Amino acid sequence: MFIEQAYKGNNTWWRVLITTLCTAGIFIGNFIAYFSMSKEQIDEVYKSMSEIPNNLSLIINLSPFVFLLGLLFLMVRNLHHRSILSLTTSRIKIDYKRILFSFSLVVILTIGVFIVTYFNDNSNIIWNFNPSKFAVLFFISLLFFPCQIGLEEYLFRGYLMQQMGIIVKNRWFPLIFTSVVFGLFHSANPEVARMGYGVMVFYIGTGLLLGIMTLMDESLELALGFHLGNNMMAALLITSDYSAIHTDAVFKYSGVENPAAVLNEMIISIAIVYPIILYIFAKRYNWKDWSSKLTGKVLPPN
């Protein structure tokens, strides 16, 4: 079982505390800084960020994740004396086909929804494709996004979910806890500041989806593929002035910000698209015993 993989390592409280603070520090610091600043200061920070060339800004934003993912792996191996495999899956090896399937599913669904939306109403969507800039963006995305989503998945759905699970001895609390914390740590994103905290429903809902994938499949592979596909599509397909990161994507949304419309789209994703994704995974991978896997007890090995 996935959560029980944590029992393979040394889980002394101070080791857990040090690893959590060192690897989640970027999220904690960002969270504290955001809520300690005034609205004027926040607007000034976002304005300064928007003046940096898009591709350079993307590198600056994603570079820390390369170091932090490596640090997490290093601490799990040398401080907790565990393998990275135990942090990834309960199976005997990593199933890369699962990552590829989940990634492909998200890419196909995202492009499909975009095509329908575009032909329904493209009045606020403009062609933004610049071959040279897009080529650089594509290379940066391939290089940095795996580390960015890797840190978030290995930290939230991997390390924290496993450690929390063996502490509280159940599955439902770490599922809810990591989903809420995952959402809260995205509260400093520009779209939250511009469209209100209703957007947090989407982030927490996405965290819940990724957590359910992880517990039902007993591994991180599907969550890794989903998260990577989602973030790469957000960077490559369409951008906007109120996105978390501005990019030289193929298209750009040029319309006036409409928080209500954006929130409605997010709610539709959570209420309709996410259950469809879970249904596809459940059928393909023959998921059973949902109640036990999502809410059951966590017991140490005999």
Side-chain angles (χ1 to χ4, degrees), residues 44 77 239:
E44 187 62 31
R77 286 291 301 273
T239 188

Side-chain angles (χ1 to χ4, degrees), residues 35 49 55 71 158 228 239 301:
F35 284 100
M49 291 172 58
N55 284 329
L71 180 62
L228 180 59
T239 188

Side-chain angles (χ1 to χ4, degrees), residues 27 61-62 65-66 69 144-153 186 227 231:
F27 300 104
N61 276 278
L62 298 184
F65 292 95
V66 179
L69 179 62
F144 286 96
F145 274 121
C147 295
Q148 184 249 326
I149 68 95
L151 175 68
E152 293 187 1
E153 290 310 310
H186 284 78
H227 203 159
N231 284 24

Side-chain angles (χ1 to χ4, degrees), residues 267-278:
I267 291 175
I268 291 173
S269 294
I270 294 172
I272 299 176
V273 178
Y274 284 6
I276 291 174
I277 290 172
L278 287 177

Side-chain angles (χ1 to χ4, degrees), residues 138-195:
F138 187 76
F139 176 77
I140 294 171
S141 299
L142 289 178
L143 191 63
F144 286 96
F145 274 121
C147 295
Q148 184 249 326
I149 68 95
L151 175 68
E152 293 187 1
E153 290 310 310
Y154 274 104
L155 178 60
F156 290 101
R157 257 67 62 179
Y159 184 78
L160 292 179
M161 182 174 282
Q162 288 180 340
Q163 293 297 154
M164 186 65 64
I166 65 173
I167 291 173
V168 301
K169 299 294 190 295
N170 65 52
R171 302 175 187 283
W172 66 266
F173 184 81
L175 172 61
I176 300 299
F177 178 82
T178 56
S179 300
V180 172
V181 173
F182 176 77
L184 290 177
F185 279 168
H186 284 78
S187 59
N189 284 9
E191 57 265 32
V192 178
R194 296 195 181 191
M195 291 180 282

Side-chain angles (χ1 to χ4, degrees), residues 49-50 52-59 61-62 128-130 133-134 136-138 140-141 145 231-253:
M49 291 172 58
S50 67
I52 302 173
N54 289 340
N55 284 329
L56 178 59
S57 176
L58 186 62
I59 293 174
N61 276 278
L62 298 184
N128 190 56
F129 183 67
N130 180 305
K133 290 183 178 180
F134 183 82
V136 175
L137 170 63
F138 187 76
I140 294 171
S141 299
F145 274 121
N231 284 24
M232 287 193 68
M233 284 295 95
L236 298 173
L237 185 59
I238 185 168
T239 188
S240 68
D241 290 334
Y242 54 84
S243 299
I245 300 175
H246 301 165
T247 66
D248 296 305
V250 177
F251 295 94
K252 181 176 181 178
Y253 179 76

Side-chain angles (χ1 to χ4, degrees), residues 107-123 125 237-238 251 265 268 273:
V107 170
I108 291 170
L109 286 176
T110 301
I111 293 176
V113 170
F114 176 78
I115 290 174
V116 172
T117 302
Y118 184 83
F119 284 103
N120 181 55
D121 180 13
N122 58 22
S123 58
I125 300 175
L237 185 59
I238 185 168
F251 295 94
E265 290 178 6
I268 291 173
V273 178

